[in-house]
PDB file of all heavy atoms in Angstrom:
ATOM      1  N   GLU Z  40     108.267  98.915 106.138  1.00 97.00           N
ATOM      2  CA  GLU Z  40     107.267  97.967 105.615  1.00 97.00           C
ATOM      3  C   GLU Z  40     107.225  96.709 106.479  1.00 97.00           C
ATOM      4  O   GLU Z  40     106.145  96.192 106.770  1.00 97.00           O
ATOM      5  CB  GLU Z  40     107.559  97.608 104.165  1.00 97.00           C
ATOM      6  CG  GLU Z  40     106.527  96.677 103.560  1.00 97.00           C
ATOM      7  CD  GLU Z  40     105.093  97.211 103.576  1.00 97.00           C
ATOM      8  OE1 GLU Z  40     104.893  98.428 103.503  1.00 97.00           O
ATOM      9  OE2 GLU Z  40     104.163  96.389 103.683  1.00 97.00           O
ATOM     10  N   PHE Z  41     108.373  96.212 106.924  1.00 97.00           N
ATOM     11  CA  PHE Z  41     108.385  95.060 107.832  1.00 97.00           C
ATOM     12  C   PHE Z  41     107.647  95.409 109.124  1.00 97.00           C
ATOM     13  O   PHE Z  41     106.853  94.608 109.631  1.00 97.00           O
ATOM     14  CB  PHE Z  41     109.813  94.610 108.167  1.00 97.00           C
ATOM     15  CG  PHE Z  41     110.605  94.101 106.998  1.00 97.00           C
ATOM     16  CD1 PHE Z  41     111.964  94.364 106.900  1.00 97.00           C
ATOM     17  CD2 PHE Z  41     110.025  93.343 105.987  1.00 97.00           C
ATOM     18  CE1 PHE Z  41     112.715  93.891 105.841  1.00 97.00           C
ATOM     19  CE2 PHE Z  41     110.765  92.864 104.919  1.00 97.00           C
ATOM     20  CZ  PHE Z  41     112.120  93.136 104.838  1.00 97.00           C
ATOM     21  N   PHE Z  42     107.918  96.591 109.654  1.00 97.00           N
ATOM     22  CA  PHE Z  42     107.240  97.033 110.880  1.00 97.00           C
ATOM     23  C   PHE Z  42     105.732  97.103 110.673  1.00 97.00           C
ATOM     24  O   PHE Z  42     104.951  96.712 111.538  1.00 97.00           O
ATOM     25  CB  PHE Z  42     107.750  98.399 111.322  1.00 97.00           C
ATOM     26  CG  PHE Z  42     109.117  98.421 111.950  1.00 97.00           C
ATOM     27  CD1 PHE Z  42     109.712  99.625 112.264  1.00 97.00           C
ATOM     28  CD2 PHE Z  42     109.820  97.259 112.226  1.00 97.00           C
ATOM     29  CE1 PHE Z  42     110.970  99.673 112.858  1.00 97.00           C
ATOM     30  CE2 PHE Z  42     111.078  97.299 112.805  1.00 97.00           C
ATOM     31  CZ  PHE Z  42     111.647  98.505 113.120  1.00 97.00           C
ATOM     32  N   GLU Z  43     105.321  97.622 109.525  1.00 97.00           N
ATOM     33  CA  GLU Z  43     103.889  97.740 109.234  1.00 97.00           C
ATOM     34  C   GLU Z  43     103.244  96.359 109.152  1.00 97.00           C
ATOM     35  O   GLU Z  43     102.141  96.139 109.666  1.00 97.00           O
ATOM     36  CB  GLU Z  43     103.662  98.528 107.947  1.00 97.00           C
ATOM     37  CG  GLU Z  43     102.218  98.759 107.618  1.00 97.00           C
ATOM     38  CD  GLU Z  43     101.450  99.527 108.682  1.00 97.00           C
ATOM     39  OE1 GLU Z  43     102.042 100.345 109.411  1.00 97.00           O
ATOM     40  OE2 GLU Z  43     100.230  99.290 108.798  1.00 97.00           O
ATOM     41  N   LYS Z  44     103.925  95.426 108.539  1.00 97.00           N
ATOM     42  CA  LYS Z  44     103.390  94.056 108.457  1.00 97.00           C
ATOM     43  C   LYS Z  44     103.282  93.447 109.847  1.00 97.00           C
ATOM     44  O   LYS Z  44     102.322  92.729 110.138  1.00 97.00           O
ATOM     45  CB  LYS Z  44     104.262  93.194 107.547  1.00 97.00           C
ATOM     46  CG  LYS Z  44     104.095  93.535 106.091  1.00 97.00           C
ATOM     47  CD  LYS Z  44     104.960  92.660 105.205  1.00 97.00           C
ATOM     48  CE  LYS Z  44     104.726  93.000 103.742  1.00 97.00           C
ATOM     49  NZ  LYS Z  44     105.519  92.133 102.853  1.00 97.00           N
ATOM     50  N   TYR Z  45     104.243  93.726 110.705  1.00 97.00           N
ATOM     51  CA  TYR Z  45     104.167  93.254 112.088  1.00 97.00           C
ATOM     52  C   TYR Z  45     102.964  93.879 112.782  1.00 97.00           C
ATOM     53  O   TYR Z  45     102.176  93.180 113.435  1.00 97.00           O
ATOM     54  CB  TYR Z  45     105.458  93.590 112.839  1.00 97.00           C
ATOM     55  CG  TYR Z  45     105.362  93.315 114.309  1.00 97.00           C
ATOM     56  CD1 TYR Z  45     105.404  92.017 114.793  1.00 97.00           C
ATOM     57  CD2 TYR Z  45     105.205  94.359 115.226  1.00 97.00           C
ATOM     58  CE1 TYR Z  45     105.295  91.755 116.151  1.00 97.00           C
ATOM     59  CE2 TYR Z  45     105.094  94.108 116.575  1.00 97.00           C
ATOM     60  CZ  TYR Z  45     105.147  92.808 117.036  1.00 97.00           C
ATOM     61  OH  TYR Z  45     105.027  92.554 118.379  1.00 97.00           O
ATOM     62  N   ALA Z  46     102.793  95.190 112.637  1.00 97.00           N
ATOM     63  CA  ALA Z  46     101.689  95.883 113.298  1.00 97.00           C
ATOM     64  C   ALA Z  46     100.332  95.352 112.833  1.00 97.00           C
ATOM     65  O   ALA Z  46      99.391  95.284 113.616  1.00 97.00           O
ATOM     66  CB  ALA Z  46     101.789  97.389 113.047  1.00 97.00           C
ATOM     67  N   ARG Z  47     100.243  94.960 111.562  1.00 96.00           N
ATOM     68  CA  ARG Z  47      98.982  94.427 111.027  1.00 96.00           C
ATOM     69  C   ARG Z  47      98.784  92.952 111.344  1.00 96.00           C
ATOM     70  O   ARG Z  47      97.736  92.387 111.024  1.00 96.00           O
ATOM     71  CB  ARG Z  47      98.940  94.622 109.514  1.00 96.00           C
ATOM     72  CG  ARG Z  47      98.808  96.063 109.082  1.00 96.00           C
ATOM     73  CD  ARG Z  47      98.520  96.193 107.597  1.00 96.00           C
ATOM     74  NE  ARG Z  47      99.432  95.430 106.759  1.00 96.00           N
ATOM     75  CZ  ARG Z  47     100.296  95.963 105.888  1.00 96.00           C
ATOM     76  NH1 ARG Z  47     100.360  97.277 105.743  1.00 96.00           N
ATOM     77  NH2 ARG Z  47     101.070  95.202 105.159  1.00 96.00           N
ATOM     78  N   GLY Z  48      99.787  92.324 111.948  1.00 96.00           N
ATOM     79  CA  GLY Z  48      99.670  90.907 112.292  1.00 96.00           C
ATOM     80  C   GLY Z  48     100.042  89.971 111.168  1.00 96.00           C
ATOM     81  O   GLY Z  48      99.747  88.787 111.222  1.00 96.00           O
ATOM     82  N   GLU Z  49     100.724  90.492 110.161  1.00 96.00           N
ATOM     83  CA  GLU Z  49     101.108  89.683 109.007  1.00 96.00           C
ATOM     84  C   GLU Z  49     102.466  89.016 109.178  1.00 96.00           C
ATOM     85  O   GLU Z  49     102.803  88.120 108.417  1.00 96.00           O
ATOM     86  CB  GLU Z  49     101.106  90.547 107.745  1.00 96.00           C
ATOM     87  CG  GLU Z  49      99.734  91.095 107.412  1.00 96.00           C
ATOM     88  CD  GLU Z  49      99.761  92.120 106.296  1.00 96.00           C
ATOM     89  OE1 GLU Z  49     100.803  92.267 105.622  1.00 96.00           O
ATOM     90  OE2 GLU Z  49      98.727  92.781 106.097  1.00 96.00           O
ATOM     91  N   MET Z  50     103.244  89.493 110.141  1.00 96.00           N
ATOM     92  CA  MET Z  50     104.561  88.924 110.445  1.00 96.00           C
ATOM     93  C   MET Z  50     104.713  88.850 111.951  1.00 96.00           C
ATOM     94  O   MET Z  50     104.151  89.673 112.670  1.00 96.00           O
ATOM     95  CB  MET Z  50     105.701  89.798 109.884  1.00 96.00           C
ATOM     96  CG  MET Z  50     105.801  89.875 108.391  1.00 96.00           C
ATOM     97  SD  MET Z  50     107.176  90.955 107.843  1.00 96.00           S
ATOM     98  CE  MET Z  50     108.567  89.821 107.972  1.00 96.00           C
ATOM     99  N   THR Z  51     105.493  87.874 112.400  1.00 96.00           N
ATOM    100  CA  THR Z  51     105.856  87.814 113.810  1.00 96.00           C
ATOM    101  C   THR Z  51     107.097  88.670 114.020  1.00 96.00           C
ATOM    102  O   THR Z  51     107.782  89.055 113.054  1.00 96.00           O
ATOM    103  CB  THR Z  51     106.169  86.375 114.247  1.00 96.00           C
ATOM    104  OG1 THR Z  51     107.348  85.934 113.545  1.00 96.00           O
ATOM    105  CG2 THR Z  51     105.005  85.431 113.974  1.00 96.00           C
TER     106      THR Z  51
END
Side-chain angles (χ1 to χ4, degrees):
E40 182 58 31
F41 296 143
F42 285 174
E43 183 60 29
K44 287 180 178 182
Y45 172 75
R47 291 190 310 245
E49 297 171 11
M50 293 179 82
T51 65

